[in-house]
Amino acid sequence: MPAIELTTAERRALRADAHHLDPVVMIGGDGLTPAVLKEADAALKAHGLIKVRVLGDDRAVREEMYARMCDQLNAAPIQHIGKLLVLWRPMPEKVSVEEREGRGPGMREVKILKFSKSGLRRPEIKKVTVMGNQRVTAGGLIKRAKKRTASKKPA
C-alpha cells in the first residue's frame, strides 16, 4: 500500500503535536522484525501519532526501515531526525453506542469523597464500582435506581 500523502502544513502541525511524545516502539539490533511491525501497528491504532527509536547507527538503513514501515503500516512519514522516526495514521472509528444494541449501561468506577465533620482533616477518597442500575446519592451512598412511577393525577 502506498504511504499517505500530506501537505506541508499538515505535516508541520503533526510534527508540533509529536514534539512532546516519547518513543513507544524501539527497533533494536535485529532490525525491522514482524514483532516490531505488530507493536507499531498496535500503537498507531491506539494513538495515531507515534515516535519510533532506532538503535542502529547507519542512516541509510534507518531511512530504508522508515520507508518500509510507512509502506507496510499504511502510515504517513512525518519526521526523521537522528534516531527518531515519527509516523502518523488516521485512527479508526470507534464503535458508537447505537451499534451496541441489546446492552444496557455497564459497570463504572466512581470516586466518592467523604469530608471530615470538623473540616480539618483531608477528605477520604473511596473508589467504588457502580453497576448500571445503581446511582450514587449526594451523601455518598449507593442506591439501586428505581423506575419512575407515573403520576396518578388526572390530566
Side-chain angles (χ1 to χ4, degrees), residues 86-151:
V86 181
L87 301 168
W88 175 79
R89 183 172 68 189
M91 292 179 64
E93 296 275 333
K94 293 194 176 176
V95 178
S96 65
V97 177
E98 292 86 32
E99 294 176 12
R100 295 186 294 159
E101 292 180 17
R103 295 185 63 190
M107 298 187 325
R108 63 190 188 280
E109 194 168 283
V110 178
K111 287 184 186 177
I112 297 177
L113 286 175
K114 287 206 176 183
F115 296 97
S116 66
K117 292 182 181 175
S118 65
L120 299 176
R121 293 189 319 179
R122 297 174 90 185
E124 182 183 333
I125 301 172
K126 192 166 43 168
K127 288 185 180 180
V128 179
T129 303
V130 179
M131 303 292 193
N133 64 342
Q134 295 175 334
R135 64 184 174 88
V136 179
T137 64
L141 300 174
I142 298 174
K143 290 196 170 183
R144 183 170 293 158
K146 296 177 184 172
K147 298 213 181 230
R148 290 191 173 185
T149 57
S151 174

Side-chain angles (χ1 to χ4, degrees), residues 13-55:
L14 288 168
R15 259 197 329 256
D17 290 342
H19 178 72
H20 73 281
L21 296 178
D22 293 326
V24 293
V25 178
M26 296 184 84
I27 300 175
D30 292 340
L32 198 57
T33 62
V36 170
L37 286 172
K38 184 178 176 184
E39 283 299 314
D41 185 44
L44 282 169
K45 282 181 186 170
H47 304 291
L49 182 67
I50 63 168
K51 275 187 183 177
V52 178
R53 181 175 299 280
V54 182
L55 299 179

Side-chain angles (χ1 to χ4, degrees), residues 35-85:
V36 170
L37 286 172
K38 184 178 176 184
E39 283 299 314
D41 185 44
L44 282 169
K45 282 181 186 170
H47 304 291
L49 182 67
I50 63 168
K51 275 187 183 177
V52 178
R53 181 175 299 280
V54 182
L55 299 179
D57 289 330
D58 190 11
R59 181 170 177 81
V61 172
R62 284 196 307 264
E63 287 176 351
E64 189 265 330
M65 278 186 206
Y66 193 34
R68 236 177 50 203
M69 280 182 77
C70 289
D71 187 45
Q72 290 181 358
L73 297 173
N74 193 24
I78 302 299
Q79 186 177 30
H80 174 201
I81 183 163
K83 295 183 178 186
L84 287 176
L85 314 174

